[in-house]
Every structure is written in C-alpha cells, then in structure tokens.
Amino acid sequence: MREIEFDVVVKAVKNMIMHCGTDLPQDTYMALEEAMEAEKSPVSKEVIRQILENADIAKDEKRPLCQDTGLAVFFVNVGEEVRINGGLLRDAINKGTEEGYTEGYLRASTCEPFSRANLKDTLGYNLPAIIHFDIVLGDKIDIEYAAKGGGSENVSRARVFPPAAGKDGIVEYVKEVISDAGGNPCPPITVGVGIGGTFEKACISSKHALFRDLETTNEDPEMAELEARMLHEINNLGIGAMGMGGTKTALAVHIESNPCHIASLPVSVNVQCHSSRHTHITI
Amino acid sequence: MATYTLTTPLTAEDTKQLVAGDTVLLNGTIFTARDAAHSRLVALIEAGEELPFDLEGSIIYFVGPTPPKPGDPIGSAGPTTSYRMDSFSPTMLKNGSKGMIGKGKRNQAVKDACVEYDGIYFGATGGAGALLGKQIRSAEVIAYPELGPEAVRKITVEDFPVTVVNDTKGNDIYQIGRAKYEVKA
Ligand code: SF4
C-alpha cells in the first residue's frame, strides 16, 4: 500500500487551480488561434482576437482569465493500492480548492439555492467542490480539474429519447440546444455530448467529455464521425464568437458513449465556454 | 462598421448615431449592478426615492468582478449574462439611463425600451475579464457593500471596448450577424 500525505494532495490541487485560473490551456489557445484564422465575420474575428489578447494578459500579469472562476469540478481516479495519510481524500481536495481560490484571488461563486447566500463564510470559500470518484488499478491518484462557469452550464440540457430517435435525433437535439443558447455560453464553445447509460450517467459523461484534449480524436471511429457531423452542423448555425454572427461557433464536439437500457436512449449536452480552464495531474 | 470614442454621461445625440455592430471605446464613469442590485434600484425608483447615483445619461455594467489583487482597483471584470436583468432594464432606461453593458440576448421589452428612450445595449467580450479589468482605472463601492461582488460600484474606464448589440432603431447584431452566416440545409 502506497501512502500519500494529505498535505501533498492539498498542495497539488491548490497549484492546479491557481494555474488554471490565469493560464488558458495550450490546446484551447491553439484551437482559438485556428478559429480566428478561419473565421469569416470581421466582428467575430475581432472578438476572438480579444479573447487571445485576454489570455496573454492573464498569463503575463497573473490575473484571472474570467471573473466567473466557476465551480471547481473534479474527476478523480484513485488507485486501489493508495491510501491518504492524515485525512480523507475528499477533504484534501476541498481544502486545496479553498486555498487555490483564495490565494489566486479567484471568485467565490457557491451559494445556497434559494436564499442565494454566498457560502464562503459558512461552508468555505467556493466550496463544496463537485467531485466524481472512481476506483482504478495501481498506486496512483489521477486528478482532472475544470473550472465550470455559470454562463455555459446554464444552457446545458439532458433528455431521454426513445431508441428510434437514433443518430439523426441526437444531432437535431444538439443543434437545438446550441441554437437556443446563442451567444450566452460565450462561444467559441466546446460541446460535450454524453450518450447512453442512464439519465445521470449521460450527464456525467457529457461533463467528462469536456475534459478531453482538443487535439485528440475519438478512439471510436463511429463516434469520431458523429462528432465531425455535429461540429459541422453547429458551425452552420451562424452564431459566431459571442453570438455576433460567424462561422466558428464551436471549437470541437466531444462524445462519450455508454451501453444503455433496451428501452431508452439518454442524451446530455454540456457546454463549455472559450475560457475552457482544465488540467490534470497524477500523484 | 464604424468605431466611436464616447465619454459618459451619454446623450441622445451620442446614442442615436450608433448602429448595431459598431465598436465603441467608452471613457468616463460607469456604474456596476447585477440582479440583486437591480431589484433594489428599481424598488427605489418605484417608491420615488433617491438612488445612490444619478441615472441621467448613465451606463450600467452587468458585472461581478473577482477580488482585486493588492494595489489594483479591481480584479477581472468581464460581463455577465444580461437576460437576468431584462425585467429591470426598461425601468432604468425610462428613468434616464442611456446604456447597458453585458453579454447575450435581451427580450423584446428591452429592445423596445432602447428605441423609445434612445438607449443602447452594448456587448463586451464575455470571458475577457483580464483585458476588460485592465481598462478600469478606479473602482469604488457606492451602495450595497453587503452584496460582495454584486455591490454597486462606480468605476472609471479608459477606452473600454464594447460592441453595439441593440441600437436605437431596433436593430440586433445577434440576429443580423447570425442570419448572414447561417447555412441552411
Ligand atoms: S461562460 Fe465562461 S467565459 Fe463566459 S462569463 Fe462564464 S465563465 Fe466566463
């Protein structure tokens, strides 16, 4: 059994959060550069230019990329042969989140659902983090993190279709969700699509799909083809950067597909904005 | 599409020349308010009470900034989604405000109020919080400090870049732009 100190996890999580708050990941930066080149609308081209300039300023001056520094979302793969010395893994991740958001001058955005009272002085600064655990082989802990802003989360949707809806039905649904969203989720966006599983499995898969590197292609050729088809259809909507009209509404569509019940075809569409702050570490 | 440099407070003469899609560099004083502050401001207007600032010619920025680093006037300060202010904005425009800065589409009532009261809805680039925060030279909380990031701030901006989304003629760049680039199957 390998032992990892509680504080090692806290520090690793804190560093990830502070880095992500100010440094746009390389894959996203490069995809935005390509989008700026390809964009046909001058207004949208200028918007993407501002987005890239913003990323440069944020990195150089260590300022948050966006004022909405999101809820902290984690996917954590815990090796069966690891144990945390000095506390619970969940507590270590939450502590790292609180320290990262505080020391990085990031915004505390968690609140009580109805009174809307900010939870920073009660539960903790930007706590609780949203954490999805899985158990895997080995003696390592793999932590994927993303800052998830409200603008893009608010336009996300899920629906359980009858099996007959098929690929055409899903493509239409994705188009409808993105079309209704317009400029609200801060395009150019990344679209995560979770297919199959149960209702909640589809939702979690659509979130996890957003963590995938933009330079990768889906390992399943059938899904890769479906991603390309959806991307094409979304970019034909004409929404453009920040909804100003244009040819580059999405940078990528990522699908995660799961086996499902013979009676149903669950689909979830989770949207991530251009400020796609995500990273991962292995301890 | 033209580029203008304007200084607040704005007059009807300033706003009427602007067309959806134009770029404007804003200078001068702007006030920040989000949902919670708007509901309080509109309640004051409806009760006939005095507001914490003069609405005449004012621009309201929908923003909840990050905490400032030591020595900075403000943290990152990009726009928040505007539709949450749709039910309040017509009252603000009716009472003298001339502009709003946010992101995302507005409802018909807001667009109609822009036409009726010579108001403009400006879009700032969402997610460009570091760049936009840098154009803010000073910031001071003038009302509702208990709302934290949502408090009303008086900020001074220099060449703050925005795009005209809804103009005084009823045009909407989101509709015009999209129609131009949409590829119908
Ligand atoms: S959608 Fe993303 S880029 Fe836009 S304001 Fe929210 S977090 Fe920032």
Side-chain angles (χ1 to χ4, degrees):
Chain A
M1 198 55 127
R2 180 178 165 224
E3 297 201 352
I4 298 175
E5 292 302 317
F6 183 86
D7 287 344
V8 169
V9 178
V10 172
K11 200 157 173 228
V13 168
K14 176 179 118 177
N15 288 342
M16 255 173 136
I17 286 175
M18 289 177 67
H19 180 78
C20 248
T22 55
D23 290 46
L24 196 66
Q26 190 64 18
D27 64 330
T28 311
Y29 193 94
M30 278 163 47
L32 284 164
E33 276 184 323
E34 280 169 30
M36 184 173 74
E37 280 296 308
E39 177 56 64
K40 296 206 176 78
S41 148
V43 183
S44 277
K45 220 187 200 14
E46 165 60 18
V47 169
I48 304 175
R49 194 200 60 72
Q50 283 187 22
I51 291 170
L52 289 166
E53 190 188 342
N54 180 68
D56 295 338
I57 294 172
K59 188 174 182 177
D60 291 347
E61 302 183 11
K62 291 281 162 249
R63 290 170 185 274
L65 284 153
C66 178
Q67 75 291 337
D68 184 351
T69 51
L71 293 196
V73 182
F74 296 90
F75 282 89
V76 185
N77 283 335
V78 190
E80 274 181 334
E81 295 156 50
V82 197
R83 69 176 292 269
I84 305 295
N85 213 354
L88 287 177
L89 180 55
R90 180 181 296 280
D91 293 344
I93 293 170
N94 273 320
K95 186 157 187 244
T97 299
E98 175 156 42
E99 289 185 4
Y101 272 79
T102 315
E103 287 179 36
Y105 293 94
L106 307 178
R107 198 177 76 183
S109 303
T110 50
C111 74
E112 206 278 328
F114 296 114
S115 74
R116 311 306 293 174
N118 197 293
L119 297 172
K120 65 180 177 353
D121 299 322
T122 47
L123 271 185
Y125 199 91
N126 213 41
L127 295 187
I130 309 289
I131 312 173
H132 305 285
F133 286 106
D134 204 354
I135 312 269
V136 296
L137 278 180
D139 62 358
K140 294 190 170 54
I141 300 176
D142 192 71
I143 305 178
E144 294 177 282
Y145 160 74
K148 197 66 185 65
S152 53
E153 201 70 359
N154 284 356
V155 301
S156 301
R157 275 190 232 162
R159 187 171 156 187
V160 181
F161 282 91
K167 282 184 188 160
D168 290 349
I170 296 179
V171 172
E172 271 313 303
Y173 181 60
V174 171
K175 260 173 70 180
E176 178 190 310
V177 172
I178 305 305
S179 176
D180 289 352
N184 288 5
C186 290
I189 51 177
T190 305
V191 184
V193 183
I195 300 174
T198 46
F199 182 72
E200 88 285 4
K201 178 77 179 169
C203 291
I204 294 170
S205 297
S206 66
K207 172 72 85 252
H208 191 244
L210 296 173
F211 286 61
R212 199 178 99 202
D213 202 304
L214 289 174
E215 286 148 14
T216 57
T217 31
N218 201 310
E219 284 167 12
D220 178 345
E222 192 185 352
M223 288 306 121
E225 197 189 316
L226 191 56
E227 287 176 355
R229 182 176 158 197
M230 287 178 183
L231 182 63
H232 180 75
E233 297 272 355
I234 289 169
N235 284 333
N236 276 349
L237 290 171
I239 295 168
M242 290 313 298
M244 298 291 177
T247 52
K248 284 286 171 188
T249 303
L251 300 173
V253 177
H254 290 173
I255 296 176
E256 281 194 17
S257 165
N258 308 286
C260 58
H261 192 282
I262 48 172
S264 55
L265 179 56
V267 182
S268 167
V269 185
N270 196 195
V271 180
Q272 177 64 304
C273 53
H274 64 73
S275 199
S276 177
R277 292 151 289 180
H278 63 105
T279 182
H280 106 272
I281 49 157
T282 304
I283 306 175
Chain B
M1 267 150 212
T3 300
Y4 296 86
T5 300
L6 295 175
T7 303
T8 59
L10 298 187
T11 62
E13 206 178 311
D14 290 327
T15 58
K16 278 159 106 168
Q17 63 185 335
L18 302 176
V19 179
D22 285 347
T23 300
V24 179
L25 298 173
L26 292 172
N27 290 272
T29 299
I30 286 176
F31 300 94
T32 75
R34 288 170 50 117
D35 326 32
H38 267 83
S39 75
R40 294 191 192 191
L41 293 170
V42 166
L44 287 179
I45 293 174
E46 280 164 0
E49 285 172 31
E50 200 179 328
L51 295 186
F53 60 93
D54 187 3
L55 269 190
E56 197 53 47
S58 64
I59 295 181
I60 313 293
Y61 186 16
F62 309 149
V63 61
T66 55
K69 288 213 236 170
D72 286 346
I74 202 161
S76 286
T80 192
T81 312
S82 305
Y83 72 84
R84 301 195 311 268
M85 268 57 74
D86 280 356
S87 56
F88 306 116
S89 292
T91 309
M92 303 289 279
L93 292 164
K94 188 176 175 195
N95 286 276
S97 177
K98 281 279 173 282
M100 305 153 275
I101 309 170
K103 71 174 175 95
K105 39 188 180 218
R106 310 306 302 273
N107 68 10
Q108 197 55 43
V110 176
K111 295 185 208 177
D112 291 348
C114 283
V115 175
E116 192 169 351
Y117 307 112
D118 299 322
I120 297 283
Y121 170 50
F122 297 103
T125 299
L131 178 138
L132 295 167
K134 245 191 125 167
Q135 301 311 113
I136 299 174
R137 298 289 175 250
S138 69
E140 179 198 344
V141 173
I142 57 163
Y144 320 135
E146 66 280 10
L147 294 179
E150 299 208 38
V152 173
R153 287 174 174 79
K154 177 180 168 178
I155 62 174
T156 318
V157 296
E158 212 174 287
D159 290 342
F160 189 88
V162 291
T163 306
V164 177
V165 174
N166 295 116
D167 62 22
T168 60
K169 309 283 181 307
N171 297 311
D172 183 334
I173 189 65
Y174 295 145
Q175 281 167 1
I176 299 168
R178 190 163 167 180
K180 191 161 167 195
Y181 293 97
E182 184 172 4
V183 182
K184 292 239 166 69

